[in-house]
């Protein structure tokens, strides 16, 4: 209620009262935008937490060994296994306890999901089926109560629908499962069935009748769009892409698409870095495009291939090393 002043900021949480970890027994601290305070934390922090999927996957990776190399951490940054997809797929499969399913498309889709390793590779079929199902599920569960305008606001910041839907699907019954536009009383199972059928129909229309051609990278693509590229044919000069991309909103190597306009990627790692602290003057780094914002410069997009495929540049902050290298000196004058 911003009109009465009762909810105005009243000060800051003292530093000693903020959420913290100091030298935890595990030997590592993970932050992947997950909720970092327990439910009984006395002060409101935020509602904008992401689902814990990336945190859980990082924890799995860091718990898999006692020692890691620089290369191990490079592989971790490119990891595309989604615990979120793993948990939600369990819910989908549980909605089909009877193996005698008449619809051949549904049978084939469930077989892909049943054999999925939850790696969202560009060539993966199950990733396409799951993510299309998830978009349809959001519409089928929420849009009847919310209406199109509020629903559009709801899915704008995707972390919230991902998070609340995972929590909702852990419950067998909820008023949200019922579609108020029909005379029937829909259940969790019927919502899942309808959403999968809707997803398969949508994919057949957009990607053809051959399920084996529904590769994730055909739908899930990234274009680095320049403001000038909004007007054709300048897009051919200034835009970089499109490129097929693996990952999703819930993988360590994040490649998030807007739920209101699937499946073009709009959010991902803007910078990757790995540092061996025994050699702190050196770092392996990469950025999505390049160091120059000028389309005709050699460094406009010379890091795209590295960024997409898990490559890195070795950079140094040692002045002695820098003076030995070939470099360009840019002076900006007012």
């Amino acid at each position: 209620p911003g009109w009465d002043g009762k909810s105005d900021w009243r000060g800051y949480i003292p530093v000693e009262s903020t959420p913290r970890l100091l030298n935890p027994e595990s030997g590592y601290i993970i932050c992947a935008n997950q909720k970092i305070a327990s439910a009984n934390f006395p002060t409101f922090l935020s509602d904008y937490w992401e689902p814990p999927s990336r945190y859980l996957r990082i924890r799995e990776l860091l718990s898999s060994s006692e020692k890691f190399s620089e290369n191990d951490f490079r592989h971790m940054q490119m990891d595309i296994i989604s615990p979120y997809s793993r948990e939600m797929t369990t819910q989908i499969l549980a909605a089909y306890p009877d193996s005698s399913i008449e619809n051949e498309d549904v049978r084939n889709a469930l077989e892909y999901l049943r054999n999925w390793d939850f790696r969202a590779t560009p060539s993966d079929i199950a990733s396409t089926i799951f993510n299309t199902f998830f978009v349809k599920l959001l519409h089928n569960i929420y849009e009847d109560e919310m209406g199109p305008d509020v629903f559009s606001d709801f899915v704008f910041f995707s972390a919230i629908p991902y998070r609340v839907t995972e929590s909702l699907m852990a419950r067998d019954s909820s008023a949200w499962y019922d579609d108020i536009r029909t005379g029937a009383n829909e259940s969790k199972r019927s919502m899942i069935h309808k959403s999968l059928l809707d997803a398969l129909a949508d994919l057949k229309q957009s990607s053809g009748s051959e399920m084996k051609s529904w590769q994730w990278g055909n739908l899930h693509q990234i274009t680095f769009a320049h403001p000038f590229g909004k007007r054709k044919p300048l897009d051919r000069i200034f835009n970089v892409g499109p490129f097929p991309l693996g990952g999703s909103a819930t993988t360590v190597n994040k490649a998030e698409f807007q739920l209101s306009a699937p499946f073009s990627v709009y959010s991902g790692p803007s910078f990757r870095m790995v540092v061996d602290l025994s050699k702190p003057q050196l770092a392996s780094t990469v950025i999505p495009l390049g160091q120059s914002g000028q389309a005709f410069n050699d460094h406009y997009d010379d890091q795209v291939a590295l960024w997409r495929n898990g490559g890195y540049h070795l950079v140094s902050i040692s002045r002695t090393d820098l003076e030995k290298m070939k470099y360009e000196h840019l002076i900006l004058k007012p």
Side-chain angles (χ1 to χ4, degrees):
W3 53 88
D4 63 13
K6 292 180 180 178
S7 297
D8 286 354
W9 292 104
R10 293 189 174 89
Y12 295 93
I13 303 172
V15 172
E16 60 272 13
S17 300
T18 54
R20 61 180 56 210
L21 281 174
L22 178 64
N23 294 333
E25 188 177 344
S26 63
Y28 52 76
I29 295 175
I30 305 169
C31 186
N33 294 340
Q34 80 280 5
K35 188 174 183 178
I36 59 172
S38 63
N40 59 1
F41 188 74
T43 308
F44 175 76
L45 295 175
S46 174
D47 283 323
Y48 281 0
W49 309 112
E50 292 202 4
S53 181
R54 293 188 296 138
Y55 160 79
L56 293 172
R57 180 57 183 158
I58 294 170
R59 191 176 67 180
E60 287 176 3
L61 292 166
L62 291 178
S63 302
S64 64
S65 179
E66 291 188 1
K67 293 184 179 181
F68 298 97
S69 67
E70 284 183 73
N71 209 39
D72 290 328
F73 285 107
R74 294 188 188 104
H75 287 307
M76 286 184 197
Q77 290 187 338
M78 295 299 294
D79 189 86
I80 50 175
I81 289 179
S82 168
Y84 186 93
S85 299
R86 183 192 301 151
E87 176 59 32
M88 290 289 286
T89 298
T90 300
Q91 300 287 347
I92 298 172
L93 296 176
Y96 293 90
D98 188 355
S99 58
S100 58
I101 300 166
E102 292 185 9
N103 188 303
E104 183 180 5
D105 289 333
V106 172
R107 286 202 311 271
N108 291 337
L110 292 175
E111 193 64 21
Y112 273 110
L113 294 175
R114 200 172 285 116
N115 293 300
W116 193 18
D117 60 4
F118 309 106
R119 296 179 72 246
T121 66
S123 61
D124 191 53
I125 310 300
S127 294
T128 304
I129 295 170
F130 172 80
N131 284 290
T132 308
F133 161 84
F134 184 75
V135 171
K136 297 297 182 182
L137 182 71
L138 295 179
H139 282 277
N140 290 333
I141 289 179
Y142 303 112
E143 194 168 14
D144 56 315
E145 283 93 354
M146 292 182 176
D149 292 338
V150 174
F151 178 79
S152 178
D153 291 340
F154 172 64
V155 299
F156 178 78
F157 181 62
S158 64
I160 292 177
Y162 274 108
R163 199 180 74 219
V164 301
T165 304
E166 182 180 33
S167 176
L168 177 66
M169 292 290 282
R171 299 158 56 186
D172 289 332
S173 61
S174 169
W176 286 104
Y177 294 139
D178 181 42
D179 188 339
I180 63 174
R181 297 167 296 192
T182 72
N185 186 15
E186 285 81 8
S187 64
K188 172 182 174 179
R189 181 178 294 183
S190 63
M191 277 290 105
I192 292 174
H193 286 194
K194 173 172 171 47
S195 300
L196 186 57
L197 285 170
D198 289 350
L200 296 176
D202 192 67
L203 285 167
K204 287 180 79 170
Q205 183 176 7
S206 65
S207 303
S209 58
E210 285 289 339
M211 199 172 290
K212 62 184 178 182
S213 69
W214 296 354
Q215 296 186 346
W216 183 223
N218 291 342
L219 297 175
H220 189 244
Q221 301 193 347
I222 188 166
T223 298
F224 298 97
H226 190 283
F228 291 169
K230 293 180 179 179
R231 185 181 294 274
K232 294 183 178 183
L234 296 179
D235 58 324
R236 296 177 177 270
I237 299 172
F238 291 98
N239 291 355
V240 181
F243 303 111
L245 210 61
S248 70
T250 57
T251 56
V252 176
N253 184 20
K254 193 174 186 182
E256 188 169 3
F257 60 87
Q258 287 184 323
L259 293 168
S260 57
F263 293 95
S264 296
V265 178
Y266 80 99
S267 175
S270 59
F271 179 62
R272 296 193 188 104
M273 179 171 68
V274 178
V275 179
D276 180 346
L277 293 180
S278 70
K279 299 173 289 185
Q281 76 279 9
L282 296 174
S284 298
T285 72
V286 69
I287 57 178
L289 280 174
Q291 286 191 305
S292 174
Q294 300 178 35
F296 300 104
N297 189 284
D298 290 342
H299 302 300
Y300 180 60
D301 59 0
D302 59 341
Q303 295 193 46
V304 171
L306 292 172
W307 183 85
R308 289 173 55 213
N309 298 301
Y312 293 80
H313 282 294
L314 188 64
V315 298
S316 173
I317 60 171
S318 163
R319 189 168 190 87
T320 302
D321 291 343
L322 291 172
E323 288 174 347
K324 294 177 182 177
M325 297 177 185
K326 181 181 179 182
Y327 62 90
E328 297 177 13
H329 192 184
L330 176 66
I331 299 175
L332 300 175
K333 292 183 177 181

